Amino acid sequence: MELGSEQYGCAHYTKRCRIRAPCCGEVFGCRHCHNEAKNSLEIDLNDRHEIPRHEIKKVICSLCDKEQDVQQYCSGCGACMGKYFCGKCNFFDDDNWRRRQVLPLRQMRNVLKESHHCVEGAMHHNCPVCFEYLFDSTKDISVLHCGHTIHLECLNEMRAHHHFACPVCSRSACDMSDAWKKLDEEVAATPMPEFYQKKMIWILCNDCGATSNVNFHVLAQKCPGCSSYNTRETRGGGPAAARSMV
């Protein structure tokens, strides 16, 4: 059952089977192998295409070369063609999937502890930045404080452009306490004109979900509950209406 755990697979997954593409009838290591080959510059533009992954019906065992319907265990030699298998997604993988996704998730839960929110089916959706399906993505994946998942490189790209909120729920994607302290200093150093000093507005905190009535300030509005500046104005009509800090 464990035979071939290291020597079989492709550049994208460790597994013991290949797929027959329903679109062109050719055999490839996985759907990524197909898409890379069929969308290369050497292929005529009119012939380029991607595999309809949910239409894959046949797989070939890498140990005994038996072609068969999509299933986890080979009907010929009994080998497990992928320790992690999804018949709906036609997905097979072994150690690479565990190293890339399961272990980082466990490590992230240990780091976040009580602040982590588990999201059911978090891997079964598209990356909120690049829209690639995360479940069978070959890229590293990160879990945000809110529990939503995103490609690590997409998260780094967001941070490089000074976006620090989850694209799905707007909660802060990392520890922003140092940034909030700097904003405290900037707000304290920027007194409002007398006309605005008694102006009150309603805000919604994207981090804790609380709604509060606070003094308006042109720079930012601080949540009195969790001290976050990741807030947006809901009522009041001030110049900063509907603005979120992150």
Side-chain angles (χ1 to χ4, degrees), residues 97-109:
W97 193 90
R98 286 192 173 89
R99 285 195 295 267
R100 188 179 67 252
Q101 296 175 342
V102 175
L103 290 179
L105 283 169
R106 290 174 181 169
Q107 292 167 1
M108 184 62 73
R109 290 192 181 103

Side-chain angles (χ1 to χ4, degrees), residues 185-197:
E185 297 173 358
E186 292 182 22
V187 168
T190 312
M192 294 296 293
E194 185 177 354
F195 176 78
Y196 285 107
Q197 288 180 1

Side-chain angles (χ1 to χ4, degrees), residues 6-57:
E6 295 298 331
Q7 62 264 44
Y8 292 103
C10 62
H12 307 99
Y13 302 111
T14 299
K15 56 192 179 69
R16 302 169 194 82
C17 66
R18 292 157 287 155
I19 61 171
R20 185 172 295 280
C23 45
C24 55
E26 298 180 37
V27 175
F28 294 90
C30 71
R31 72 182 186 94
H32 296 293
C33 294
H34 170 280
N35 293 342
E36 289 174 1
K38 293 300 181 180
N39 286 291
S40 67
L41 296 177
E42 290 76 20
I43 301 296
D44 185 272
L45 189 60
N46 294 325
D47 294 329
R48 295 178 190 176
H49 66 279
E50 294 198 353
I51 194 170
R53 57 187 301 246
H54 291 98
E55 296 178 17
I56 298 172
K57 302 297 182 184

Side-chain angles (χ1 to χ4, degrees), residues 16-149:
R16 302 169 194 82
C17 66
R18 292 157 287 155
I19 61 171
R20 185 172 295 280
C23 45
C24 55
E26 298 180 37
V27 175
F28 294 90
C30 71
R31 72 182 186 94
H32 296 293
C33 294
H34 170 280
N35 293 342
E36 289 174 1
K38 293 300 181 180
N39 286 291
S40 67
L41 296 177
E42 290 76 20
I43 301 296
D44 185 272
L45 189 60
N46 294 325
D47 294 329
R48 295 178 190 176
H49 66 279
E50 294 198 353
I51 194 170
R53 57 187 301 246
H54 291 98
E55 296 178 17
I56 298 172
K57 302 297 182 184
K58 298 292 183 179
V59 295
I60 299 94
C61 176
S62 298
L63 275 69
C64 69
D65 288 326
K66 180 178 177 59
E67 185 165 349
Q68 58 206 278
D69 293 337
V70 173
Q71 54 195 307
Q72 186 172 17
Y73 295 93
C74 176
S75 60
C77 65
C80 177
M81 294 186 284
K83 292 179 181 178
Y84 193 91
F85 167 74
C86 177
K88 182 179 179 180
C89 300
N90 298 315
F91 181 72
F92 299 81
D93 198 11
D94 275 355
D95 296 335
N96 285 346
W97 193 90
R98 286 192 173 89
R99 285 195 295 267
R100 188 179 67 252
Q101 296 175 342
V102 175
L103 290 179
L105 283 169
R106 290 174 181 169
Q107 292 167 1
M108 184 62 73
R109 290 192 181 103
N110 289 334
V111 172
L112 296 179
K113 294 182 179 177
E114 296 303 321
S115 65
H116 175 71
H117 293 261
C118 292
V119 175
E120 184 177 358
M123 298 299 298
H124 292 268
H125 65 78
N126 297 337
C127 171
V129 174
C130 70
F131 302 109
E132 181 184 0
Y133 192 54
L134 291 174
F135 182 73
D136 58 358
S137 173
T138 60
K139 302 175 183 177
D140 289 338
I141 295 168
S142 181
V143 183
L144 305 181
H145 281 240
C146 54
H148 291 115
T149 47

